[in-house]
Coordinates of all heavy atoms in Angstrom, one line a residue:
M875 N 20.7 12.1 -0.5 CA 19.4 11.9 -0.1 C 19.1 12.6 1.3 O 18.0 13.0 1.5 CB 19.1 10.4 0.0 CG 17.7 10.0 -0.1 SD 17.5 8.3 -0.4 CE 16.5 7.8 0.9
M876 N 20.0 12.6 2.2 CA 19.8 13.2 3.5 C 19.5 14.7 3.4 O 18.9 15.2 4.3 CB 21.0 13.0 4.4 CG 21.1 11.5 4.8 SD 22.6 11.0 5.7 CE 23.2 12.4 6.4
K877 N 19.9 15.4 2.3 CA 19.7 16.8 2.2 C 18.3 17.2 1.7 O 17.7 18.2 2.1 CB 20.7 17.5 1.3 CG 22.1 17.5 1.9 CD 23.0 18.2 0.9 CE 24.4 18.2 1.5 NZ 25.4 18.9 0.6
N878 N 17.7 16.3 0.9 CA 16.5 16.7 0.2 C 15.3 15.7 0.4 O 14.2 16.0 -0.1 CB 16.7 16.8 -1.3 CG 17.7 17.9 -1.6 OD1 17.7 18.9 -1.1 ND2 18.7 17.5 -2.5
H879 N 15.5 14.6 1.1 CA 14.5 13.6 1.3 C 14.4 13.1 2.7 O 15.2 13.4 3.5 CB 14.8 12.4 0.4 CG 14.9 12.7 -1.1 ND1 14.1 13.7 -1.7 CD2 15.7 12.3 -2.0 CE1 14.4 13.8 -3.0 NE2 15.4 12.9 -3.2
L880 N 13.3 12.4 2.9 CA 13.1 11.9 4.3 C 13.0 10.4 4.2 O 12.4 9.8 3.3 CB 11.7 12.4 4.8 CG 11.2 11.8 6.1 CD1 12.2 12.2 7.3 CD2 9.8 12.3 6.4
V881 N 13.7 9.7 5.1 CA 13.7 8.3 5.2 C 13.1 7.9 6.5 O 13.6 8.4 7.6 CB 15.1 7.6 5.0 CG1 15.0 6.1 5.2 CG2 15.7 8.0 3.7
I882 N 12.0 7.1 6.5 CA 11.4 6.7 7.8 C 11.5 5.1 7.8 O 11.1 4.5 6.8 CB 9.9 7.1 7.9 CG1 9.8 8.6 7.9 CG2 9.3 6.5 9.1 CD1 8.4 9.1 7.8
S883 N 12.0 4.6 8.9 CA 12.1 3.2 9.0 C 12.0 2.7 10.4 O 12.4 3.5 11.3 CB 13.5 2.7 8.4 OG 13.6 1.3 8.6
E884 N 11.5 1.6 10.6 CA 11.5 1.0 12.0 C 12.7 0.1 12.2 O 12.9 -0.4 13.3 CB 10.2 0.1 12.1 CG 9.0 0.9 12.0 CD 7.7 0.0 12.1 OE1 7.6 -1.0 11.4 OE2 6.9 0.3 13.0
Y885 N 13.6 0.1 11.3 CA 14.8 -0.8 11.3 C 16.0 0.1 11.4 O 16.1 1.2 10.9 CB 14.8 -1.7 10.1 CG 13.6 -2.5 10.0 CD1 12.6 -2.2 9.1 CD2 13.4 -3.6 10.8 CE1 11.4 -3.0 9.0 CE2 12.3 -4.4 10.8 CZ 11.3 -4.1 9.9 OH 10.1 -4.8 9.8
P886 N 17.1 -0.4 12.1 CA 18.3 0.3 12.2 C 19.0 0.6 10.9 O 18.7 -0.2 9.9 CB 19.2 -0.6 13.1 CG 18.4 -1.7 13.5 CD 17.1 -1.7 12.7
P887 N 19.8 1.6 10.8 CA 20.5 1.9 9.5 C 21.3 0.6 9.0 O 21.7 -0.2 9.9 CB 21.5 3.0 9.9 CG 20.9 3.6 11.1 CD 20.2 2.6 11.8
N888 N 21.4 0.5 7.7 CA 22.1 -0.6 7.1 C 21.4 -2.0 7.2 O 22.0 -3.0 6.8 CB 23.6 -0.8 7.6 CG 24.4 0.5 7.4 OD1 24.3 1.1 6.3 ND2 25.1 0.9 8.4
T889 N 20.1 -2.0 7.6 CA 19.4 -3.2 7.6 C 19.0 -3.5 6.2 O 18.4 -2.6 5.5 CB 18.1 -3.1 8.5 OG1 18.5 -2.8 9.8 CG2 17.3 -4.3 8.4
R890 N 19.3 -4.7 5.7 CA 18.9 -5.1 4.4 C 17.4 -5.3 4.2 O 16.8 -5.9 5.1 CB 19.7 -6.3 3.9 CG 21.2 -6.0 4.0 CD 22.1 -7.0 3.3 NE 21.7 -7.3 1.9 CZ 22.1 -6.5 0.8 NH1 22.8 -5.4 1.0 NH2 21.7 -6.9 -0.4
P891 N 16.8 -4.9 3.1 CA 15.4 -5.1 2.9 C 15.1 -6.6 2.9 O 15.8 -7.4 2.3 CB 15.1 -4.5 1.6 CG 16.3 -3.7 1.2 CD 17.4 -4.2 2.0
Q892 N 14.0 -7.0 3.5 CA 13.5 -8.3 3.5 C 12.0 -8.3 3.0 O 11.3 -7.3 3.3 CB 13.5 -8.9 4.9 CG 14.9 -9.0 5.5 CD 15.8 -10.0 4.8 OE1 15.3 -11.1 4.4 NE2 17.1 -9.7 4.7
K893 N 11.6 -9.3 2.4 CA 10.2 -9.3 1.9 C 9.2 -9.0 2.9 O 8.2 -8.3 2.7 CB 9.9 -10.7 1.2 CG 8.6 -10.8 0.6 CD 8.4 -12.1 -0.1 CE 7.1 -12.2 -0.8 NZ 6.9 -13.5 -1.4
W894 N 9.4 -9.5 4.1 CA 8.4 -9.3 5.2 C 8.5 -7.9 5.8 O 7.6 -7.6 6.6 CB 8.6 -10.4 6.3 CG 10.0 -10.5 6.8 CD1 11.0 -11.3 6.4 CD2 10.5 -9.8 8.0 NE1 12.1 -11.1 7.1 CE2 11.8 -10.2 8.1 CE3 9.9 -8.9 8.9 CZ2 12.6 -9.7 9.2 CZ3 10.7 -8.5 9.9 CH2 12.0 -8.9 10.0
H895 N 9.4 -7.1 5.4 CA 9.5 -5.7 5.9 C 8.4 -4.8 5.2 O 8.0 -3.8 5.8 CB 10.8 -5.1 5.6 CG 12.0 -5.6 6.5 ND1 13.3 -5.3 6.2 CD2 12.0 -6.4 7.6 CE1 14.1 -5.9 7.1 NE2 13.3 -6.5 7.9
F896 N 8.1 -5.2 4.0 CA 7.3 -4.3 3.2 C 5.9 -4.0 3.7 O 5.4 -2.9 3.7 CB 7.2 -4.7 1.7 CG 8.6 -4.7 1.1 CD1 9.3 -5.8 0.7 CD2 9.2 -3.5 0.9 CE1 10.5 -5.8 0.2 CE2 10.5 -3.4 0.3 CZ 11.2 -4.5 0.0
P897 N 5.1 -5.0 4.3 CA 3.8 -4.7 4.9 C 4.0 -3.6 6.0 O 3.1 -2.8 6.1 CB 3.3 -6.0 5.4 CG 4.0 -7.0 4.4 CD 5.3 -6.5 4.2
M898 N 5.0 -3.7 6.8 CA 5.2 -2.7 7.9 C 5.5 -1.4 7.3 O 5.0 -0.3 7.8 CB 6.3 -3.2 8.8 CG 5.9 -4.4 9.7 SD 4.5 -4.1 10.8 CE 3.1 -4.7 9.9
R899 N 6.3 -1.3 6.2 CA 6.6 -0.1 5.5 C 5.3 0.5 5.0 O 5.0 1.7 5.1 CB 7.5 -0.3 4.4 CG 7.9 1.0 3.6 CD 8.1 0.8 2.2 NE 7.1 0.0 1.5 CZ 7.3 -0.5 0.3 NH1 8.4 -0.4 -0.3 NH2 6.3 -1.2 -0.3
N900 N 4.4 -0.3 4.5 CA 3.1 0.1 3.9 C 2.2 0.7 5.0 O 1.5 1.7 4.8 CB 2.4 -1.0 3.2 CG 3.1 -1.5 2.0 OD1 4.1 -1.0 1.6 ND2 2.6 -2.5 1.4
R901 N 2.3 0.2 6.2 CA 1.6 0.7 7.4 C 2.0 2.2 7.7 O 1.2 3.0 7.9 CB 1.8 -0.2 8.6 CG 1.1 0.3 9.9 CD 1.4 -0.6 11.0 NE 2.8 -0.8 11.3 CZ 3.6 0.0 12.0 NH1 3.1 1.2 12.5 NH2 4.8 -0.2 12.2
I902 N 3.3 2.4 7.6 CA 3.8 3.8 7.8 C 3.3 4.7 6.7 O 2.9 5.8 7.0 CB 5.4 3.8 7.9 CG1 5.9 3.0 9.1 CG2 5.9 5.2 7.9 CD1 7.3 2.8 9.1
I903 N 3.4 4.2 5.5 CA 3.0 5.1 4.3 C 1.5 5.4 4.5 O 1.1 6.6 4.3 CB 3.2 4.3 3.0 CG1 4.7 4.2 2.7 CG2 2.5 5.0 1.8 CD1 5.1 3.3 1.6
A904 N 0.7 4.4 4.8 CA -0.8 4.7 5.0 C -1.0 5.7 6.2 O -1.9 6.5 6.1 CB -1.5 3.4 5.2
G905 N -0.2 5.6 7.2 CA -0.4 6.4 8.4 C 0.0 7.8 8.2 O -0.6 8.7 8.8
I906 N 0.9 8.1 7.3 CA 1.3 9.5 7.1 C 0.7 10.2 5.9 O 0.9 11.3 5.6 CB 2.9 9.6 7.0 CG1 3.4 8.9 5.7 CG2 3.6 9.2 8.2 CD1 4.9 9.1 5.5
S907 N -0.2 9.4 5.2 CA -0.8 9.9 4.0 C -2.3 10.3 4.3 O -2.9 9.7 5.2 CB -0.9 8.8 2.9 OG 0.4 8.4 2.6
K908 N -2.8 11.3 3.6 CA -4.2 11.7 3.7 C -5.1 10.7 3.1 O -6.3 10.6 3.5 CB -4.4 13.1 3.1 CG -3.7 14.2 3.9 CD -4.1 15.6 3.3 CE -3.4 16.6 4.2 NZ -3.8 18.0 3.6
G909 N -4.6 10.1 2.0 CA -5.5 9.1 1.3 C -4.6 8.1 0.5 O -3.4 8.4 0.4
T910 N -5.2 7.1 0.1 CA -4.4 6.0 -0.7 C -5.2 5.8 -2.0 O -6.4 5.6 -2.0 CB -4.3 4.7 0.1 OG1 -3.6 5.0 1.3 CG2 -3.6 3.6 -0.7
L911 N -4.5 5.9 -3.1 CA -5.0 5.6 -4.4 C -4.5 4.3 -4.9 O -3.3 4.1 -5.0 CB -4.7 6.7 -5.4 CG -5.0 6.5 -6.9 CD1 -6.5 6.4 -7.0 CD2 -4.5 7.6 -7.7
V912 N -5.4 3.3 -5.2 CA -5.0 2.1 -5.8 C -5.4 2.0 -7.2 O -6.6 2.1 -7.5 CB -5.6 0.9 -5.0 CG1 -5.2 -0.4 -5.6 CG2 -5.3 1.0 -3.5
V913 N -4.4 1.9 -8.1 CA -4.7 1.9 -9.5 C -4.6 0.5 -10.1 O -5.5 0.1 -10.8 CB -3.6 2.7 -10.3 CG1 -3.9 2.7 -11.8 CG2 -3.7 4.2 -9.8
E914 N -3.7 -0.3 -9.7 CA -3.6 -1.7 -10.1 C -3.2 -2.6 -8.9 O -2.4 -2.2 -8.1 CB -2.5 -2.0 -11.2 CG -2.9 -1.5 -12.5 CD -1.9 -2.0 -13.6 OE1 -0.8 -2.3 -13.2 OE2 -2.3 -2.0 -14.8
A915 N -3.9 -3.7 -8.7 CA -3.6 -4.6 -7.6 C -4.1 -6.0 -7.9 O -5.3 -6.1 -8.3 CB -4.3 -4.1 -6.3
K916 N -3.2 -6.9 -7.8 CA -3.7 -8.3 -8.0 C -4.5 -8.7 -6.7 O -4.7 -7.9 -5.8 CB -2.5 -9.2 -8.0 CG -1.7 -9.2 -9.4 CD -0.7 -10.3 -9.5 CE -0.3 -10.4 -10.9 NZ 0.5 -11.6 -11.1
E917 N -5.1 -9.8 -6.8 CA -6.0 -10.2 -5.7 C -5.3 -10.2 -4.3 O -6.0 -9.9 -3.3 CB -6.5 -11.6 -6.0 CG -7.7 -12.0 -5.1 CD -8.4 -13.3 -5.6 OE1 -7.9 -14.0 -6.4 OE2 -9.5 -13.5 -5.0
S918 N -4.1 -10.5 -4.3 CA -3.3 -10.4 -3.0 C -2.0 -9.5 -3.4 O -1.2 -10.0 -4.1 CB -2.9 -11.8 -2.6 OG -2.1 -11.7 -1.5
S919 N -2.0 -8.3 -2.8 CA -0.9 -7.4 -3.2 C -0.6 -6.5 -2.1 O -1.4 -6.2 -1.2 CB -1.2 -6.6 -4.5 OG -2.2 -5.6 -4.2
G920 N 0.6 -5.9 -2.2 CA 1.0 -4.9 -1.2 C 0.1 -3.6 -1.3 O -0.1 -3.0 -0.2
S921 N -0.4 -3.3 -2.4 CA -1.3 -2.2 -2.5 C -2.6 -2.4 -1.7 O -3.1 -1.5 -1.1 CB -1.8 -2.0 -4.0 OG -0.7 -1.7 -4.8
L922 N -3.1 -3.6 -1.7 CA -4.3 -3.9 -0.8 C -3.9 -3.9 0.6 O -4.8 -3.5 1.5 CB -4.9 -5.2 -1.2 CG -5.4 -5.3 -2.7 CD1 -6.0 -6.7 -3.0 CD2 -6.4 -4.2 -3.0
I923 N -2.7 -4.3 1.0 CA -2.3 -4.2 2.4 C -2.3 -2.7 2.8 O -2.8 -2.4 3.9 CB -0.9 -4.9 2.6 CG1 -1.0 -6.4 2.4 CG2 -0.3 -4.5 3.9 CD1 0.4 -7.0 2.3
T924 N -1.7 -1.9 1.9 CA -1.7 -0.5 2.2 C -3.1 0.1 2.4 O -3.4 0.9 3.3 CB -0.9 0.3 1.2 OG1 0.4 -0.3 1.0 CG2 -0.7 1.8 1.5
A925 N -4.0 -0.3 1.4 CA -5.3 0.2 1.5 C -6.0 -0.2 2.8 O -6.8 0.6 3.4 CB -6.1 -0.3 0.3
N926 N -5.8 -1.4 3.2 CA -6.4 -1.9 4.5 C -5.9 -1.1 5.7 O -6.7 -0.7 6.5 CB -6.1 -3.4 4.6 CG -6.8 -4.0 5.8 OD1 -8.0 -3.8 5.9 ND2 -6.2 -4.8 6.6
Y927 N -4.6 -0.9 5.7 CA -4.0 0.0 6.8 C -4.7 1.4 6.8 O -5.0 1.9 7.8 CB -2.5 0.1 6.7 CG -1.8 -1.1 7.2 CD1 -0.7 -1.7 6.4 CD2 -2.0 -1.7 8.4 CE1 0.0 -2.8 6.8 CE2 -1.3 -2.8 8.9 CZ -0.3 -3.3 8.1 OH 0.4 -4.4 8.5
A928 N -4.8 1.9 5.6 CA -5.4 3.3 5.4 C -6.8 3.3 6.0 O -7.1 4.2 6.7 CB -5.3 3.7 4.0
V929 N -7.6 2.3 5.6 CA -9.0 2.3 6.1 C -9.0 2.2 7.7 O -9.7 2.9 8.3 CB -9.7 1.1 5.5 CG1 -11.0 0.8 6.3 CG2 -10.0 1.3 4.1
H930 N -8.1 1.4 8.2 CA -8.1 1.2 9.7 C -7.6 2.5 10.4 O -7.8 2.7 11.6 CB -7.3 0.0 10.1 CG -8.0 -1.3 9.9 ND1 -8.2 -1.8 8.6 CD2 -8.7 -2.1 10.8 CE1 -8.9 -2.9 8.8 NE2 -9.2 -3.1 10.0
E931 N -6.8 3.3 9.6 CA -6.4 4.6 10.2 C -7.3 5.8 9.9 O -7.0 6.9 10.2 CB -5.0 4.9 9.6 CG -3.9 4.0 10.1 CD -3.7 4.2 11.6 OE1 -3.7 5.3 12.2 OE2 -3.5 3.1 12.3
G932 N -8.5 5.4 9.3 CA -9.5 6.5 9.0 C -9.1 7.3 7.8 O -9.7 8.4 7.7
R933 N -8.3 6.8 7.0 CA -7.9 7.6 5.7 C -8.8 7.1 4.6 O -9.4 6.1 4.6 CB -6.5 7.3 5.3 CG -5.4 7.5 6.4 CD -5.4 8.9 6.9 NE -4.1 9.2 7.6 CZ -4.0 9.1 8.9 NH1 -5.0 8.7 9.7 NH2 -2.8 9.4 9.5
E934 N -8.9 8.0 3.6 CA -9.7 7.7 2.4 C -8.9 6.8 1.5 O -7.7 6.9 1.4 CB -10.1 8.9 1.7 CG -11.1 9.8 2.5 CD -11.8 10.8 1.6 OE1 -12.7 10.5 0.8 OE2 -11.3 12.0 1.6
V935 N -9.6 5.8 0.9 CA -9.0 4.9 -0.1 C -9.8 5.1 -1.4 O -11.0 5.1 -1.4 CB -9.1 3.5 0.4 CG1 -8.6 2.5 -0.7 CG2 -8.3 3.3 1.6
F936 N -9.1 5.3 -2.5 CA -9.7 5.5 -3.8 C -9.2 4.3 -4.7 O -8.0 3.9 -4.6 CB -9.2 6.8 -4.4 CG -9.5 8.0 -3.5 CD1 -8.6 8.5 -2.6 CD2 -10.7 8.6 -3.6 CE1 -8.8 9.6 -1.8 CE2 -11.0 9.7 -2.8 CZ -10.1 10.2 -1.9
A937 N -10.1 3.8 -5.5 CA -9.7 2.7 -6.4 C -10.2 3.1 -7.8 O -11.3 3.6 -8.0 CB -10.4 1.4 -6.0
V938 N -9.3 2.9 -8.8 CA -9.6 3.2 -10.2 C -9.8 1.8 -10.8 O -8.9 1.0 -10.9 CB -8.4 3.9 -10.9 CG1 -8.7 4.0 -12.4 CG2 -8.1 5.2 -10.2
P939 N -11.1 1.5 -11.1 CA -11.4 0.2 -11.7 C -10.7 0.0 -13.0 O -10.7 0.9 -13.9 CB -12.9 0.2 -11.8 CG -13.3 1.6 -11.8 CD -12.2 2.4 -11.1
G940 N -10.1 -1.2 -13.2 CA -9.5 -1.5 -14.5 C -10.3 -2.5 -15.3 O -11.5 -2.8 -14.9
H941 N -9.7 -3.0 -16.3 CA -10.4 -4.0 -17.2 C -10.7 -5.3 -16.4 O -9.8 -5.8 -15.7 CB -9.5 -4.3 -18.4 CG -10.3 -5.1 -19.4 ND1 -10.5 -6.5 -19.4 CD2 -10.9 -4.7 -20.6 CE1 -11.2 -6.9 -20.4 NE2 -11.4 -5.8 -21.2
I942 N -11.9 -5.8 -16.5 CA -12.3 -6.9 -15.6 C -11.6 -8.2 -15.9 O -11.5 -9.1 -15.1 CB -13.8 -7.2 -15.7 CG1 -14.2 -7.5 -17.1 CG2 -14.6 -6.0 -15.1 CD1 -15.7 -8.0 -17.2
L943 N -10.9 -8.3 -17.1 CA -10.2 -9.5 -17.4 C -8.7 -9.4 -17.1 O -8.0 -10.4 -17.3 CB -10.4 -9.9 -18.9 CG -11.9 -10.2 -19.3 CD1 -12.0 -10.4 -20.8 CD2 -12.5 -11.3 -18.5
N944 N -8.2 -8.3 -16.6 CA -6.8 -8.1 -16.3 C -6.6 -8.6 -14.9 O -7.2 -8.1 -14.0 CB -6.5 -6.6 -16.5 CG -5.0 -6.3 -16.3 OD1 -4.3 -7.1 -15.7 ND2 -4.6 -5.2 -16.8
S945 N -5.6 -9.5 -14.7 CA -5.3 -10.0 -13.4 C -4.8 -8.9 -12.4 O -4.9 -9.0 -11.2 CB -4.2 -11.1 -13.5 OG -3.0 -10.6 -13.9
Y946 N -4.3 -7.8 -13.0 CA -3.8 -6.7 -12.2 C -5.0 -5.8 -11.7 O -4.8 -4.8 -11.1 CB -2.8 -5.8 -12.9 CG -1.4 -6.5 -13.0 CD1 -1.1 -7.3 -14.1 CD2 -0.6 -6.5 -11.9 CE1 0.1 -7.9 -14.2 CE2 0.7 -7.2 -12.0 CZ 1.0 -7.8 -13.1 OH 2.2 -8.5 -13.2
S947 N -6.2 -6.1 -12.2 CA -7.4 -5.3 -11.8 C -8.2 -6.0 -10.7 O -9.1 -5.4 -10.2 CB -8.2 -5.0 -13.0 OG -7.5 -4.3 -13.9
V948 N -8.0 -7.3 -10.5 CA -8.9 -8.1 -9.6 C -8.9 -7.4 -8.2 O -10.0 -7.2 -7.6 CB -8.4 -9.5 -9.5 CG1 -9.2 -10.3 -8.4 CG2 -8.5 -10.2 -10.8
G949 N -7.8 -7.1 -7.6 CA -7.8 -6.5 -6.2 C -8.4 -5.2 -6.2 O -9.2 -4.8 -5.3
T950 N -8.1 -4.4 -7.3 CA -8.7 -3.0 -7.4 C -10.2 -3.1 -7.5 O -11.0 -2.4 -6.9 CB -8.1 -2.3 -8.5 OG1 -6.7 -2.4 -8.5 CG2 -8.5 -0.8 -8.5
M951 N -10.7 -4.0 -8.3 CA -12.1 -4.2 -8.5 C -12.8 -4.7 -7.2 O -13.9 -4.3 -6.9 CB -12.4 -5.2 -9.6 CG -12.0 -4.7 -11.0 SD -12.8 -3.2 -11.5 CE -14.4 -3.8 -11.9
N952 N -12.1 -5.5 -6.4 CA -12.6 -5.9 -5.1 C -12.8 -4.7 -4.2 O -13.8 -4.6 -3.5 CB -11.8 -7.0 -4.5 CG -11.9 -8.3 -5.2 OD1 -12.9 -8.6 -5.9 ND2 -10.9 -9.2 -5.0
L953 N -11.8 -3.8 -4.2 CA -12.0 -2.6 -3.4 C -13.2 -1.8 -3.9 O -13.9 -1.3 -3.1 CB -10.7 -1.8 -3.5 CG -9.5 -2.1 -2.7 CD1 -8.3 -1.2 -3.1 CD2 -9.8 -2.1 -1.2
F954 N -13.3 -1.7 -5.2 CA -14.4 -0.9 -5.7 C -15.7 -1.5 -5.4 O -16.6 -0.8 -5.0 CB -14.1 -0.7 -7.2 CG -15.1 0.2 -7.9 CD1 -15.0 1.5 -7.7 CD2 -16.1 -0.3 -8.7 CE1 -15.9 2.4 -8.4 CE2 -17.0 0.5 -9.3 CZ -16.9 1.9 -9.1
S955 N -15.8 -2.8 -5.5 CA -17.1 -3.5 -5.3 C -17.5 -3.4 -3.8 O -18.6 -3.3 -3.5 CB -17.1 -4.9 -5.8 OG -16.2 -5.7 -5.1
R956 N -16.5 -3.5 -2.9 CA -16.8 -3.4 -1.5 C -17.4 -2.0 -1.2 O -18.2 -1.9 -0.3 CB -15.5 -3.5 -0.7 CG -15.2 -5.0 -0.3 CD -14.2 -5.0 0.8 NE -13.0 -4.3 0.4 CZ -11.8 -4.5 1.0 NH1 -11.7 -5.3 2.1 NH2 -10.8 -3.9 0.7
E957 N -16.8 -1.0 -1.8 CA -17.3 0.4 -1.6 C -18.7 0.6 -2.1 O -19.5 1.3 -1.5 CB -16.4 1.4 -2.3 CG -16.8 2.8 -2.1 CD -16.6 3.3 -0.7 OE1 -15.8 2.8 0.1 OE2 -17.4 4.2 -0.3
Q958 N -19.1 -0.1 -3.2 CA -20.4 0.0 -3.8 C -21.5 -0.7 -3.0 O -22.7 -0.4 -3.1 CB -20.4 -0.5 -5.2 CG -19.5 0.3 -6.1 CD -19.7 1.8 -6.1 OE1 -20.9 2.2 -6.3 NE2 -18.7 2.6 -5.9
S959 N -21.1 -1.7 -2.2 CA -22.1 -2.5 -1.5 C -22.4 -2.0 -0.1 O -22.0 -1.0 0.4 CB -21.7 -3.9 -1.3 OG -20.4 -4.0 -0.8

């Protein structure tokens, strides 16, 4: 991995992943990306955390609306509806 990929972390090497690390990781992803595309997101999800960070960093956020009865579309639809209002 060291030859062909990049690893960015705020934690020292060999730090085991913890659930609470992921929002901070999403902040880094949003910060180094030109835009964020959210395809599926529950009402409360890491995708929405990333989208929120992206907006605060002045990045574009794109949402693909899904079926209105699918629980994995609720968060995405909320992003889409916020943009329309």
Side-chain angles (χ1 to χ4, degrees):
M875 201 164 125
M876 290 174 20
K877 288 184 181 181
N878 300 314
H879 301 320
L880 174 66
V881 175
I882 298 175
S883 177
E884 295 178 307
Y885 302 101
N888 302 317
T889 300
R890 299 197 49 84
Q892 301 291 323
K893 184 178 180 178
W894 55 272
H895 289 169
F896 296 112
M898 291 294 95
R899 179 212 51 196
N900 294 358
R901 179 180 56 81
I902 293 171
I903 291 169
I906 64 174
S907 301
K908 290 184 178 181
T910 299
L911 172 64
V912 180
V913 178
E914 284 188 342
K916 286 191 168 189
E917 192 167 13
S918 176
S919 74
S921 298
L922 298 180
I923 292 170
T924 305
N926 190 45
Y927 282 131
V929 166
H930 283 76
E931 289 297 320
R933 309 299 198 266
E934 291 194 80
V935 174
F936 305 93
V938 179
H941 192 280
I942 60 170
L943 299 178
N944 183 342
S945 66
Y946 287 96
S947 297
V948 174
T950 312
M951 294 300 287
N952 287 341
L953 281 175
F954 186 73
S955 64
R956 271 196 304 196
E957 181 65 29
Q958 300 303 312
S959 53

